[in-house]
């Protein structure tokens, strides 16, 4: 009767120790955030100015006189030296000012905030589908459950990384939208339908919140082709790592021990999955970062209206401010993404937790 309070107290102490270790892990990663952002912003500034194109000529047109072009460059601050431009860019960035886009005429920050949900909805669903398919397939291949089919899947996993995403996007759109007509053509997130009231910017979530199942079904239909494209290109790595991690876990000593004493296979499988999770979680985080870059051309093909299509339009127009904003946003996304991967690894790998306490 006296052990229950002691058990509760021990549990509270363990939770506090665990949260303390997690806090120290996050704090160690956060120390490098400023350096990473400064590096990304510096690379964006100087590399973009190596891209051919003149923003002043894009604004004024090819027939503009040199006097007009000079006035526009002076207005944009492009007549100043690179160090002066760079210093002004950094000071504005610290204040949260990414400049104005010459393409839309709006602040770049507002443009990105408006378009971020479209991209996040697309790559998050593609990531979810890749995990739901990739992890079971890799595990089944490791247990030799698929036999001949496993060779086909492994061949796909080896080949998928070499498939150009923009080429595959055109192929699946041609087959499913134009040849078979089973899915909507690439004309945006809802086609010509009116979107639901914006709450999160995710059309699937906003449709559910509005109780509009018709719009939800339409949004899922338009998501199907770009999600299929990204999944086919980027899920192969998850299949390979899940397969390799599962095979390594099966060589652990407990596997034969559990089988010899008659422990249920379901319990053995849960233990195997727990051991295989750390490398799978790591590669899932890496793949999620890759998806942000891979969606750039896919969004352009499907007229998606996300930050990927925004970046392509900015590149065509030599829109320096928009391109810089996209790169900085991508850097912030990846910093948060890899921080979340560290937290997940800390949760699924007890060895990392012990190291965090040192």
């Amino acid at each position: 009767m006296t052990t229950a309070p002691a058990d509760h107290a021990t549990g509270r102490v363990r939770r506090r120790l665990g949260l303390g270790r997690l806090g120290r892990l996050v704090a160690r990663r956060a120390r490098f955030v400023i350096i990473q952002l400064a590096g990304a912003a510096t690379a964006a500034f100087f590399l973009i100015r190596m891209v051919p194109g003149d923003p002043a000529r894009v604004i004024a047109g090819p027939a503009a006189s040199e006097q007009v072009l000079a006035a526009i460059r002076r207005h944009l601050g492009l007549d100043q030296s690179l160090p002066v431009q760079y210093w002004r860019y950094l000071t504005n960035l610290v204040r949260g000012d990414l400049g104005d886009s010459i393409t839309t005429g709006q602040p770049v920050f507002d443009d990105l905030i408006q378009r971020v949900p479209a991209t996040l909805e697309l790559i998050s669903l593609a990531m979810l589908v890749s995990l739901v398919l990739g992890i079971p397939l890799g595990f089944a291949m490791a247990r030799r459950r698929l036999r001949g089919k496993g060779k086909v899947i492994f061949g796909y996993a080896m080949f998928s990384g070499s498939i150009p995403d923009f080429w595959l996007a055109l192929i699946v759109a041609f087959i499913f939208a134009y040849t078979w007509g089973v899915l909507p053509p690439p004309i945006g997130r809802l086609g010509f339908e009116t979107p639901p009231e914006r709450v999160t910017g995710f059309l699937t979530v906003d449709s559910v919140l509005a109780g509009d199942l018709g719009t939800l079904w339409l949004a899922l239909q338009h998501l199907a082709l770009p999600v299929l494209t990204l999944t086919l290109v980027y899920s192969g790595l998850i299949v390979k790592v899940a397969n390799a991690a599962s095979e390594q876990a099966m060589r652990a000593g407990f596997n034969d021990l559990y089988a010899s004493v008659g422990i249920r296979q379901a319990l053995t499988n849960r233990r195997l999955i727990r051991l295989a999770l750390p490398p799978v979680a790591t590669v899932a985080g890496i793949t999620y970062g890759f998806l942000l870059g891979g969606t750039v051309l896919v969004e352009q093909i499907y007229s998606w209206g996300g930050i990927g299509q925004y970046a392509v339009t900015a590149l065509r127009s030599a829109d320096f401010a928009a391109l810089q904003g996209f790169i900085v946003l991508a850097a912030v996304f990846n910093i948060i993404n890899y921080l979340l991967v560290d937290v997940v690894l800390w949760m699924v790998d007890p060895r990392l937790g012990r190291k965090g306490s040192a």
Side-chain angles (χ1 to χ4, degrees), residues 199-233:
V199 179
T200 65
F202 287 47
L203 293 183
T204 50
V205 176
D206 291 347
S207 300
V208 172
L209 294 177
D212 190 348
L213 298 183
T215 303
L216 172 63
W217 175 240
L218 185 60
L220 290 174
Q221 286 181 303
H222 282 270
L223 276 164
L225 289 181
V227 166
L228 175 64
T229 301
L230 294 173
T231 301
L232 288 176
V233 173

Side-chain angles (χ1 to χ4, degrees), residues 334-346:
N334 279 293
I335 290 171
I336 296 174
N337 177 39
Y338 292 128
L339 178 60
L340 291 177
V341 170
D342 287 337
V343 173
V344 171
L345 286 175
W346 181 88

